[in-house]
Amino acid sequence: ARALTPQTAETDAIRFLVGTQSLRYDNQIHIIDFDDENNIINKNVLLHQVGEIWHISTSPADKGVLATCYNKTSDSKVMTCAAVWRMPKELESGSHESPDDSSSNTQTLELLCHLDNTAHGNMACVMWEPMGDGKKIISLADNNILLWDLQESSAKAVLSSSAALEGKGQLKFTSGRWSPHHNCTQIATANDTTVRGWDTRSMRQIYCIENAHGQLVRDLDFNPNKQYYLASCGDDCKVKFWDTRNVTEPVKTLEEHSHWVWNVRYNHSHDQLILTGSSDSRVILSNMVSISSEPFGHMVDDDELSDQEEQHQEEKIKEPLQDSVIATYEEHEDSVYAVEWSSADPWLFASLSYDGRLVINRVPRALKYHILL
Amino acid sequence: PGRLRRWAAPGAEPARALRCHARARAVLRHYRHLPSFRAIEDESHAIMADLAQRLRARLRDDTLDPKELTECVEMLLQLEEPPEELCEEFLSHAGARLEAELAALEAELPPADPSSTAATPPPASDILDFVDRGSSAFVGNLCLLAASYRSLFEGRPGAGDGRLEAFAATLTTRYFELLERRLALERGLGDTSLLVRALDRFHRRLRALLELLPAAGAEAGAALVARAARERVDRYLRALQTFFLGCLGDVRQALAAPRPPGKEGPGLPDLLATLASSVLGQLKAVLAYVQLFTAKDVAFASLPYFKGEFCAEAVREGLVVAFVRWLCRTARGFADGPAERGAPAAPPALLLLLARLCLDYEATTVSYILTLTDEQFPPQDTGPAVTPGPALCAEARGAAQRLLDHYVQVQGAAVAQMLRKSVETRDWLGTVEPRNVRAVMKRVVEDITAIDVQVGQLFEEGVRRAQSSDSSRRAFSVYSSSRAPGRYAPSYTPSAPMDTHLLSNIQKLFSERIDIFSPVEFNKVSVLTGIIKISLKTLLECVRLRTLGRFGLQQVQVDGHYLQLYLWRFAADERVVQGLLDEVAASAAHRCLDPVPMEHSVVELICERG
């Protein structure tokens, strides 16, 4: 299995959605409910028969809507397509039934619309506009960026604008991310070793980080609190942090993994916590304090110091915390392909590995209190 | 008077006149009240005044040499001229002469214009000459001057030593300044023995002067010598660094030079040996040069600076330790450098060479150099703290480790790239039944063999786990023996994909987890195992991203068996290779639409043929 996402619109219950990837059996989406107090996991299953799931993402506005990229095999051709679905109503807000009778609970997703990509190629991923009304999504197909408008309560998807990446050879986007800043008008994409930033209003490239990683760039994420900061990870086993205003040099480089890093994720509220998952079967939680929005820890003063990276020698100075690896999680036996923070509890995260194991973990309590206090 | 006049006339012997006058004066004074005597007295006074004037005028004459000057002044003193004035005159006159000498010295130096960056022409004479001239002319004269001053004005009021000392101090400062400027002109390393002799002469003469006038800048003089020595040592360090970089350039060129067919290129061990020996030889030569500064027959070697601080700080720390540290840093720079940014990366053979060099340094060379240094420059017990040998060894080892890790990464990435391209660009669904092993696999095996040979030149074999007897005949099965999904009842739970892996997970619990980038040890099998692990892991990941048809799976099967046939002998533990290839097969089977593996005998046949 490869596809994991938190239910973005859900801010009370902790839920994750996992998509399976199987060629032989019917594919499914599992809705995992994590009960915090009792440490119980509940699972509901939805059928997704159209094909194996490579990417899944949920709408930020409507709890029941999600989009998947899946493989459709026909004869000797494989196409990756994308579609928008709706969950059955009763499963939207979680259920706390006992896990025993999960075997008969398979229900189907209601197909809302396809994202037609016959003209564009294989879909790599689908991104929802963050903090939007769930009407706009962007999909990356081969070397095209497609912006869709969902109309008639998502029953129809209309292509509103698109951009194509010109260049030599077969350019293919590997992943992308929608920036939550600048009024949600910027996205970043990765193709081969380059990271590009685009403006969605004009569909033009804004910035370009060449040779971001020695080999393929696998994933990107934006810092939710700092406008211009972006993290990328790639096959050279490194995680790099960039300031998009100065793309020649990464602000910081992490080299904790020993094989390809597939995923990098900032914590939604405390951006010094970075989660990375790699094919060396490890999940690493790092504390990147020096480039976060609170390098001096939480300041409870009247004059709030906003992001300071220089050492301003004022009276109320605390020692800047050191960047460090907080913990390495080695519960997985196989490559970890996805890591995600929960959208409901900022201290909880899930990681998914190739063999289908989903592990839910928490930030160590000591650090949590240290950050909060 | 008549005689007096005769004697006092210009050109005659004023000395006799003086003596005569002196003798007569007493008598004249006694009989002053007699008018005839008075007239004689007046006349002789007039003559003597005239003489004094003439002498004074002579004083101002620049062509006087010091002896005549002294005589003049002596006579004037006898004539009872005021001593301060004479003192002033004497000093200024002598000063003028000395200044002239200094100016002559300065004339040899190009103008001290700090803003001119054009290359100044080398000085006309060498440093020894310069110092000679300076010492004999200036310092000698200054000594004479001081001596005569003392003898002349001793005990006279108003003409104390203070004035002399002030005068001497200004002049000596100027002298030092000129000398420093001249030293700064010493380009390159020239002849250290010459420099040492020059400094020695300077010091000796200075010592003579200082005995007379202790306040005339003893410390400044010693400091000057010390500074010159330190500067020279620093220059040697820089020269060593340039030399090393030059050697590295030669090595790189030798590695990159196109070889005519049929001729073997320079072996790595040879290159390493030449590099190490030339660097060591150069270092020893430099130490020998520097030792000239502390030789027994050199006067300033007995200065406390040279005995203590020079040995410990300047030579040991500033030269030897600094050089070793710099070497480690430069070597490390090849590993840490921004190779990903597209800059020309170091060839892998160079990385390997430097790793071995640093390792050798850690093992033997550092201690050898340090012992040598300590022998030649015995350290003081109370001197400043020096870097201990083990610290340097640790640095060298760190650099070696980093270089070797980087080598493994680079080579692994190269092989992995080949594998990745081969998987990504092939159409796995529509491929035909495999008839032979893919060419890329053969290339991979060739490359790894070449790497094996290259590493084997510099590093020893290392320990390998004893192979089981049937290792080369081990069946490469698509399904490992304990898994057979067909056995599952059709009524499994919908979360099927999770269960098929259950048994394989249990199996994994009992086998060791393979660490892809574990630190590499300094032997051949460890290096190769690292490279093989990286490549196979990449193959695994790439296979997992594709969807295979039946024949695609069979092709993977054939390729995997071929790899296993040839790669097991390179790895430290063949189970590692086996395990990774098993995973590749399992993932391929999982990604296959129609998994029907090929018969094992057919696989073997194809591999043997290929």
Side-chain angles (χ1 to χ4, degrees), chain A residues 73-89:
Chain A
T73 3
S74 54
D75 296 338
S76 49
K77 240 172 60 90
V78 175
M79 267 294 265
T80 320
C81 313
V84 182
W85 312 83
R86 181 178 287 286
M87 286 196 275
K89 269 276 177 299

Side-chain angles (χ1 to χ4, degrees), chain B residues 388-469:
Chain B
L392 280 180
C393 289
E395 273 192 45
R397 195 182 182 92
Q401 182 75 52
R402 182 83 186 85
L403 279 165
L404 201 62
D405 286 342
H406 192 72
Y407 175 77
V408 168
Q409 271 185 34
V410 166
Q411 296 287 56
V415 177
Q417 191 69 4
M418 269 199 295
L419 286 170
R420 188 211 289 249
K421 278 252 152 27
S422 77
V423 172
E424 280 176 6
T425 53
R426 195 187 175 90
D427 177 14
W428 290 98
L429 277 181
T431 187
V432 297
E433 186 162 5
R435 289 263 162 256
N436 41 26
V437 180
R438 278 193 300 159
V440 67
M441 295 298 157
K442 296 190 191 166
R443 259 202 74 192
V444 165
V445 170
E446 278 169 18
D447 281 356
I448 293 198
T449 324
I451 293 175
D452 182 64
V453 168
Q454 192 182 59
V455 178
Q457 285 181 342
L458 288 179
F459 287 90
E460 66 265 6
E461 176 94 1
V463 171
R464 192 182 282 155
R465 181 180 157 270
Q467 298 99 8
S468 55
S469 59

Side-chain angles (χ1 to χ4, degrees), chain B residues 175-196:
Chain B
Y175 176 54
F176 289 158
E177 212 181 300
L178 284 177
L179 191 58
E180 285 236 38
R181 268 170 60 191
R182 175 62 181 80
L183 282 172
L185 284 179
E186 275 296 294
R187 224 165 290 279
L189 295 170
D191 194 350
T192 307
S193 59
L194 203 63
L195 177 68
V196 172

Side-chain angles (χ1 to χ4, degrees), chain A residues 2 23-25 28 52 78 215 235 238 240 248 258-260 262 279 281 334-335 337 354 356, chain B residues 340-341 420 429 492 494 498 505 508-509 513 515 517 537-538 541 544-545 547 589-593:
Chain A
R2 257 174 223 273
L23 286 172
R24 248 150 281 150
Y25 312 114
Q28 300 148 350
E52 51 170 4
V78 175
Q215 297 175 39
D235 284 355
K238 295 193 178 125
K240 290 193 183 171
T248 46
S258 55
H259 206 252
W260 305 353
W262 286 80
S279 36
S281 330
D334 209 329
S335 310
Y337 286 137
Y354 181 69
Chain B
E340 347 162 324
R341 286 252 149 197
R420 188 211 289 249
L429 277 181
Y492 49 73
M498 308 230 181
N505 277 350
K508 277 190 199 154
L509 282 177
R513 181 205 296 251
D515 217 1
F517 272 22
K537 181 84 179 160
T538 310
E541 293 293 335
R544 281 187 183 163
L545 287 172
T547 314
H590 188 71
R591 296 296 310 161
C592 182
L593 294 171

Side-chain angles (χ1 to χ4, degrees), chain B residues 189-481:
Chain B
L189 295 170
D191 194 350
T192 307
S193 59
L194 203 63
L195 177 68
V196 172
R197 287 215 317 267
L199 285 176
D200 188 28
R201 197 155 299 181
F202 164 75
H203 185 81
R204 279 187 218 260
R205 288 310 195 105
L206 197 62
R207 244 199 337 216
L209 177 63
L210 290 180
E211 274 159 29
L212 282 180
L213 298 169
E219 308 86 39
L224 192 141
V225 176
R227 266 202 305 279
R230 187 65 206 261
E231 166 68 33
R232 185 43 71 100
V233 168
D234 283 342
R235 263 211 209 122
Y236 270 124
L237 177 65
R238 281 197 290 280
L240 270 178
Q241 291 173 349
T242 336
F243 179 75
F244 182 72
L245 287 176
C247 281
L248 268 189
D250 288 339
V251 167
R252 280 181 91 146
Q253 214 168 10
L255 285 174
R259 291 177 213 130
K263 188 161 149 354
E264 265 297 316
L268 283 181
D270 299 331
L271 284 176
L272 178 68
T274 17
L275 180 64
S277 59
S278 45
V279 170
L280 197 59
Q282 193 72 6
L283 190 60
K284 285 205 268 201
V286 165
L287 277 180
Y289 278 131
V290 176
Q291 202 174 20
L292 286 173
F293 277 98
T294 54
K296 293 275 185 316
D297 55 351
V298 168
F300 56 75
S302 51
L303 279 178
Y305 171 74
F306 278 92
K307 281 226 193 87
E309 210 181 301
F310 184 68
C311 295
E313 205 205 301
V315 177
R316 193 175 198 273
E317 292 293 311
L319 183 61
V320 176
V321 170
F323 177 65
V324 173
R325 278 227 172 99
W326 176 86
L327 196 139
C328 292
R329 261 205 316 275
T330 320
R332 231 196 165 108
F334 279 102
D336 296 334
E340 347 162 324
R341 286 252 149 197
L350 184 66
L351 292 174
L352 208 59
L353 204 78
L354 284 175
R356 184 78 222 187
L357 183 70
C358 287
L359 198 63
D360 288 341
Y361 262 67
E362 182 234 353
T364 50
T365 321
V366 166
S367 40
Y368 172 67
I369 290 180
L370 284 179
T371 357
L372 191 67
T373 317
D374 283 341
E375 271 172 34
Q376 292 185 343
F377 301 91
Q380 306 274 62
D381 285 329
T382 54
V386 293
T387 321
L392 280 180
C393 289
E395 273 192 45
R397 195 182 182 92
Q401 182 75 52
R402 182 83 186 85
L403 279 165
L404 201 62
D405 286 342
H406 192 72
Y407 175 77
V408 168
Q409 271 185 34
V410 166
Q411 296 287 56
V415 177
Q417 191 69 4
M418 269 199 295
L419 286 170
R420 188 211 289 249
K421 278 252 152 27
S422 77
V423 172
E424 280 176 6
T425 53
R426 195 187 175 90
D427 177 14
W428 290 98
L429 277 181
T431 187
V432 297
E433 186 162 5
R435 289 263 162 256
N436 41 26
V437 180
R438 278 193 300 159
V440 67
M441 295 298 157
K442 296 190 191 166
R443 259 202 74 192
V444 165
V445 170
E446 278 169 18
D447 281 356
I448 293 198
T449 324
I451 293 175
D452 182 64
V453 168
Q454 192 182 59
V455 178
Q457 285 181 342
L458 288 179
F459 287 90
E460 66 265 6
E461 176 94 1
V463 171
R464 192 182 282 155
R465 181 180 157 270
Q467 298 99 8
S468 55
S469 59
D470 61 342
S471 54
S472 59
R473 290 188 297 111
R474 177 136 172 207
F476 180 70
S477 61
V478 170
Y479 301 113
S480 56
S481 50

